[in-house]
Amino acid sequence: MKPYEGYMLDLDGTVYRGKEPIPEAIAFIHQLKEAGLPYLFITNNSSATPEEVSLKLQAFNVPAEPAQIWTTALAAAAYVKAGPAPHTAYIIGETGLLQAMEEAGVEYTEENPAYVVMGIDRSITYEKLAKAALAVRNGAAFISTNSDKALPTERGFLPGNGALTSVVQTATGQDPVFIGKPEQVIIEQALYILGTPLEKTVLIGDNYDTDILAGIRTGMDTIHVQTGITSLEEIEQKPVLPSYSIQSMADWTLMKNSGEKSSKK
Amino acid sequence: MKPYEGYMLDLDGTVYRGKEPIPEAIAFIHQLKEAGLPYLFITNNSSATPEEVSLKLQAFNVPAEPAQIWTTALAAAAYVKAGPAPHTAYIIGETGLLQAMEEAGVEYTEENPAYVVMGIDRSITYEKLAKAALAVRNGAAFISTNSDKALPTERGFLPGNGALTSVVQTATGQDPVFIGKPEQVIIEQALYILGTPLEKTVLIGDNYDTDILAGIRTGMDTIHVQTGITSLEEIEQKPVLPSYSIQSMADWTLMKNSGEKSSKK
């Protein structure tokens, strides 16, 4: 257990399960806050705004300001804004994505956009998919917030953004740039925001195929918690293991670097 | 040029291009009718009813009764009806598919269907896709009328049924049974309807990847017409060639079998 200086935490399966908080994780986040260690919540969810996510977390008694939430919506907006101008985009998505794009200064347009950005949209229509397909065939850069195939809900697994994105992918023959975990884009942005060095930052998550893989690809240490999707048995089958796999964050003793001061956000 | 006894014809790119008739093909179909040779139009379109397709063809002066139209909607309905009971299905599609299923005696249900059938639906919603994904995960047999990735329209290439189907495919990890060309299902049904022997039946189409491949897979002779999607140059790159490739049906001389009477429908 190394004295990490920066912490990235996944949300669903790590801090809560649907509408149920995970007390061990919440206690650990309070320790982080008390120790003055910087932490950031990283979520593949693009539908909610940071304000909405922070309110949900606060309702679970998790200390979380909007500035500590990094969604794929914010990540996709930052990615487009960092790309070549003009920053015009045809956007399929919900409030979180539309707001993130607007706040980043990306102009929404249906006419000849430079980018097509897709996030989960539970009001998807054929016309929206058609516009996206035409724009991508017309040369727009194709961005998708995340490749999640299915969304766990109370009704069962519903189509995720990766499934909706596959319509435009199949219709155009073009693969999008995915921004969310397990891609590195969102993690590299998060490292920059945390301001801690790669080797002193750790990523905590329950899902090997998104969270842990994103950390491994970025070259970070990772903590797998057995509170969500991926079981310990499944972890043991993987060719590259997380740095740690623990039952819950109650099994983690927070160590502070004794030799030097922890960096602060 | 063999004296075939039965003829299958593709529609778009073969008999017409969008709203434009192809005169050489239409003249050939009149020859078929005058010679008393049975012919059937085979289309991957599941949205229109046979009555609608026949009216469109008649407007182009093509002799075509509804009974001479075999759509993927009819083919999918026949496939479900031939499968194990109960013949209950959750159906995503337009009038052609809904009517074909009802007329075949397949019962539409959203509750615990034995089959999920997907055809192009330009009124697609997230809720429809969610219901399909839940039913497939729950064990329903997954059928899709056709795998066409993109639909040529006046606006450009819009998402085809294969693209919409990929949502449920991606969300569930289950591949559907595709019914339309290039699969054999629809062609084998069409052979049965024509009532002519495989070796004396020919399939005429413009699209190598759907029409010609379907004929090749079924073991039939095929005539590629250079009036639509696939060019002669593209044909020459293919590992398995059609039996013939001609500029248009004007290059085809209809021969009648002199030794025996042609079978009639």
Side-chain angles (χ1 to χ4, degrees):
Chain A
M1 297 189 187
K2 283 165 61 180
Y4 294 106
E5 296 181 2
Y7 293 79
M8 298 185 195
L9 294 109
D10 170 55
L11 289 177
D12 207 351
T14 301
V15 177
Y16 54 76
R17 269 185 301 263
K19 291 176 179 169
E20 294 292 319
I22 299 176
E24 298 87 344
I26 295 172
F28 172 74
I29 298 161
H30 278 279
Q31 291 177 41
L32 286 178
K33 185 180 160 82
E34 282 153 26
L37 289 165
Y39 55 95
L40 198 61
F41 299 97
I42 316 282
T43 172
N44 271 3
N45 181 343
S46 73
S47 64
T49 64
E51 294 75 19
E52 287 165 347
V53 176
S54 121
L55 284 176
K56 176 171 180 176
L57 287 171
Q58 287 168 11
F60 288 148
N61 189 31
V62 176
E65 299 302 317
Q68 290 175 296
I69 317 290
W70 194 243
T71 70
T72 48
L74 299 167
Y79 182 87
V80 168
K81 199 60 190 174
H87 299 117
T88 59
Y90 178 61
I91 305 162
I92 295 180
E94 299 185 5
T95 317
L97 186 59
L98 298 171
Q99 179 181 306
M101 288 287 165
E102 193 179 345
E103 289 182 356
V106 176
E107 187 194 335
Y108 176 92
T109 180
E110 301 188 351
E111 302 297 323
N112 217 14
Y115 297 83
V116 164
V117 184
M118 283 190 76
I120 185 90
D121 179 358
R122 279 157 289 200
S123 304
I124 194 77
T125 62
Y126 186 80
E127 183 57 24
K128 289 182 187 179
L129 294 164
K131 285 201 176 88
L134 289 170
V136 168
R137 277 191 179 261
N138 202 29
F142 183 20
I143 315 291
S144 178
T145 56
N146 62 299
S147 58
D148 295 22
K149 293 175 177 176
L151 280 185
T153 74
E154 286 158 13
R155 294 170 67 192
F157 283 95
L158 303 190
N161 185 53
L164 297 185
T165 300
S166 72
V167 175
V168 177
Q169 214 169 346
T170 305
T172 62
Q174 296 283 322
D175 289 333
V177 172
F178 287 112
I179 300 296
K181 301 172 282 185
E183 304 305 326
Q184 290 172 239
V185 179
I186 193 170
I187 304 298
E188 282 165 358
Q189 294 170 340
L191 268 174
Y192 179 82
I193 294 166
L194 273 178
T196 51
L198 178 73
E199 64 278 9
K200 297 197 173 170
T201 309
V202 70
L203 190 153
I204 305 167
D206 67 300
N207 187 328
Y208 183 90
D209 297 326
T210 55
D211 305 318
I212 303 304
L213 210 50
I216 290 170
R217 287 180 176 176
T218 313
M220 286 171 62
D221 280 3
T222 53
I223 302 173
H224 170 253
V225 280
Q226 298 153 22
T227 52
I229 284 195
T230 312
S231 66
L232 178 59
E233 291 68 37
E234 287 167 325
I235 288 288
E236 286 167 345
Q237 310 291 322
K238 301 290 182 183
V240 183
L241 297 181
S243 315
Y244 310 88
S245 180
I246 54 182
Q247 276 200 308
S248 78
M249 288 313 291
D251 294 342
W252 188 265
T253 306
L254 190 63
M255 299 174 76
K256 285 201 70 172
N257 198 325
S258 49
E260 46 181 318
K261 258 185 99 67
S262 296
S263 72
K264 292 230 171 107
K265 197 176 167 206
Chain B
M1 297 187 187
K2 283 164 62 179
Y4 295 106
E5 296 181 2
Y7 294 78
M8 297 185 196
L9 294 110
D10 170 54
L11 289 176
D12 207 351
T14 301
V15 177
Y16 53 76
R17 269 185 300 264
K19 292 176 179 167
E20 293 293 317
I22 300 176
E24 298 88 342
I26 294 171
F28 172 75
I29 298 161
H30 279 278
Q31 291 177 42
L32 286 179
K33 185 180 162 81
E34 283 153 26
L37 290 164
Y39 56 95
L40 197 61
F41 299 97
I42 316 282
T43 173
N44 270 3
N45 180 341
S46 72
S47 63
T49 65
E51 293 75 20
E52 287 166 346
V53 175
S54 121
L55 284 175
K56 176 171 181 177
L57 287 170
Q58 287 169 10
F60 289 148
N61 189 31
V62 176
E65 299 303 319
Q68 290 176 297
I69 318 291
W70 194 243
T71 69
T72 48
L74 298 167
Y79 182 87
V80 169
K81 200 60 192 175
H87 300 117
T88 59
Y90 178 62
I91 305 163
I92 295 180
E94 299 184 5
T95 317
L97 186 58
L98 298 171
Q99 179 181 306
M101 287 288 166
E102 192 179 346
E103 291 182 355
V106 176
E107 187 195 335
Y108 176 92
T109 180
E110 301 188 350
E111 302 298 324
N112 216 15
Y115 297 83
V116 165
V117 184
M118 284 190 75
I120 184 91
D121 179 358
R122 280 156 289 198
S123 304
I124 194 78
T125 62
Y126 186 79
E127 183 56 23
K128 290 182 188 180
L129 294 163
K131 283 200 177 88
L134 289 170
V136 169
R137 277 191 180 260
N138 201 28
F142 183 22
I143 315 291
S144 179
T145 57
N146 63 298
S147 58
D148 294 22
K149 293 175 178 176
L151 280 184
T153 73
E154 286 157 12
R155 295 170 68 193
F157 283 94
L158 303 190
N161 185 54
L164 297 185
T165 300
S166 71
V167 175
V168 177
Q169 217 168 345
T170 305
T172 63
Q174 296 283 322
D175 288 333
V177 172
F178 287 114
I179 300 295
K181 302 171 282 185
E183 304 305 326
Q184 290 173 237
V185 179
I186 192 171
I187 305 299
E188 283 166 357
Q189 294 170 338
L191 267 173
Y192 180 81
I193 294 165
L194 272 177
T196 52
L198 177 74
E199 64 279 8
K200 296 196 172 169
T201 310
V202 70
L203 190 153
I204 305 168
D206 67 300
N207 186 329
Y208 183 89
D209 297 325
T210 54
D211 305 319
I212 302 304
L213 211 50
I216 290 170
R217 287 180 177 177
T218 314
M220 285 171 63
D221 280 3
T222 52
I223 303 174
H224 169 252
V225 281
Q226 299 152 22
T227 52
I229 284 196
T230 312
S231 67
L232 179 58
E233 292 67 37
E234 288 166 322
I235 289 287
E236 286 166 343
Q237 310 292 321
K238 301 291 182 182
V240 183
L241 297 180
S243 314
Y244 310 89
S245 179
I246 55 181
Q247 276 198 309
S248 78
M249 288 313 291
D251 294 343
W252 188 265
T253 307
L254 190 63
M255 299 174 76
K256 286 201 68 175
N257 198 324
S258 49
E260 47 179 319
K261 262 185 95 71
S262 296
S263 73
K264 294 230 170 108
K265 202 183 164 199

